[in-house]
Amino acid sequence: MFEKMIRKHSVYMVIFFIWFISVLISGLLTLLIMRITLNENYMIALIIACSAATVASLSTSIPTSLVYKKIIQMKDEIIKLSKIDGLTKLLNRTSFMELYEQLVKDSIEKQDSLAVIIFDLDHFKRINDSYGHAGGDKVLERVGTIIKQLLPKQELIGRFGGEEFIVVLHDVTKDEASVIGERIRHELNSSIIYNEKEINFTVSVGIVHTSHCNLDTDSLIKIADDNLYIAKRNGRNNTSIEYV
């Protein structure tokens, strides 16, 4: 935060410095013009006047361009941040659904294979009750870090809500979908240290795979979600998959 404040104020200091120097030079040139004009050397006065006008123009255009560039950068950053869940650094639900709906539409048109994986932290309420919401947040952060390291960047990954996460795999076989789902479950059988205490956590995983996508977005999510609850009923820290 402190470094951001320094960078922010540094930009403003540079802008002010450029403006101040430009105005100072413009003023000195103006005084020189008046003196030369009084001596009736109009050609020299005209040249200096043009120089003064140029400097005066730069005094406004340079800071304005710098400020505009900074505003554009801030706007792009805000747009980027609005798509990301602040805690896990994964796509938030809104951004995920926008991309997911387009991916499903394309897969239906091309009859591509598709897999939807939904996984959920087991007994997350118990973690919050035992270690506080700050401890629970640390677990969620760790889940985000692990899942990003585990899956290729081209896969669609999002925080679906609370302690629930969703992954979409495009153009994969049913065996590949099953293996990836099991890898997620295995890697997220993990722990963190929080306030010198170990917090253990596991996930349950529900998967739906379609060889030739012909289901809409809601249907795929519902089947994956149903299998998630089957995994939980089977004792949690478990995986359930359905092929459609």
Side-chain angles (χ1 to χ4, degrees):
M1 178 65 73
F2 183 67
E3 291 178 354
K4 288 183 178 179
M5 289 177 64
I6 292 176
R7 288 198 295 269
K8 178 180 178 182
H9 288 295
S10 296
V11 172
Y12 293 138
M13 288 175 66
V14 170
I15 291 171
F16 176 78
F17 179 76
I18 294 172
W19 174 83
F20 177 79
I21 294 298
S22 301
V23 171
L24 181 62
I25 294 172
S26 298
L28 292 173
L29 290 175
T30 301
L31 290 174
L32 187 57
I33 291 167
M34 292 173 64
R35 185 173 179 179
I36 292 172
T37 304
L38 291 174
N39 293 330
E40 297 184 350
N41 196 337
Y42 295 109
M43 184 57 70
I44 296 176
L46 181 60
I47 293 171
I48 297 176
C50 290
S51 301
T54 301
V55 172
S57 175
L58 286 173
S59 72
T60 56
S61 64
I62 292 177
T64 300
S65 64
L66 287 173
V67 172
Y68 180 74
K69 184 177 180 181
K70 188 69 176 176
I71 289 172
I72 293 298
Q73 290 174 345
M74 291 173 64
K75 179 184 175 183
D76 291 342
E77 187 67 19
I78 289 170
I79 291 172
K80 180 180 177 182
L81 291 174
S82 70
K83 297 179 179 181
I84 300 298
D85 173 63
L87 198 59
T88 62
K89 303 301 183 284
L90 302 173
L91 288 172
N92 61 33
R93 184 182 181 118
T94 300
S95 299
F96 173 87
M97 288 303 294
E98 289 176 359
L99 297 172
Y100 169 60
E101 287 170 1
Q102 186 59 52
L103 180 58
V104 171
K105 181 181 177 182
D106 292 344
S107 297
I108 291 173
E109 290 177 356
K110 299 175 183 177
Q111 287 292 283
D112 289 340
S113 62
L114 200 70
V116 175
I117 301 174
I118 297 180
F119 62 93
D120 184 281
L121 281 159
D122 297 323
H123 301 298
F124 188 65
K125 185 178 183 302
R126 188 181 299 173
I127 292 175
N128 278 334
D129 291 343
S130 300
Y131 303 98
H133 288 283
D137 286 349
K138 290 298 181 182
V139 171
L140 292 171
E141 287 179 11
R142 183 59 183 156
V143 169
T145 300
I146 291 174
I147 200 69
K148 283 191 295 184
Q149 293 173 346
L150 180 63
L151 296 177
K153 289 183 178 180
Q154 65 266 27
E155 307 299 357
L156 197 54
I157 313 168
R159 183 182 178 190
F160 210 46
E163 67 273 24
E164 194 170 73
F165 299 81
I166 186 166
V167 177
V168 179
L169 308 173
H170 177 250
D171 196 23
V172 293
T173 66
K174 61 182 182 180
D175 291 336
E176 288 171 335
S178 178
V179 168
I180 291 172
E182 191 58 24
R183 281 179 61 199
I184 290 172
R185 186 197 65 78
H186 181 266
E187 292 297 323
L188 291 176
N189 184 352
S190 187
S191 65
I192 62 167
I193 301 298
Y194 174 72
N195 282 349
E196 299 181 352
K197 295 179 181 178
E198 185 177 30
I199 304 178
N200 297 293
F201 59 89
T202 61
V203 297
S204 297
V205 183
I207 310 170
V208 59
H209 179 273
T210 173
S211 298
H212 303 287
C213 189
N214 57 4
L215 295 173
D216 61 29
T217 54
D218 292 339
S219 297
L220 289 167
I221 287 176
K222 185 181 185 307
I223 296 171
D225 205 41
D226 289 343
N227 278 273
L228 169 63
Y229 283 98
I230 291 172
K232 285 185 175 294
R233 285 200 302 270
N234 289 339
R236 292 182 169 82
N237 190 16
N238 219 315
T239 302
S240 176
I241 187 168
E242 185 172 337
Y243 308 109
V244 296

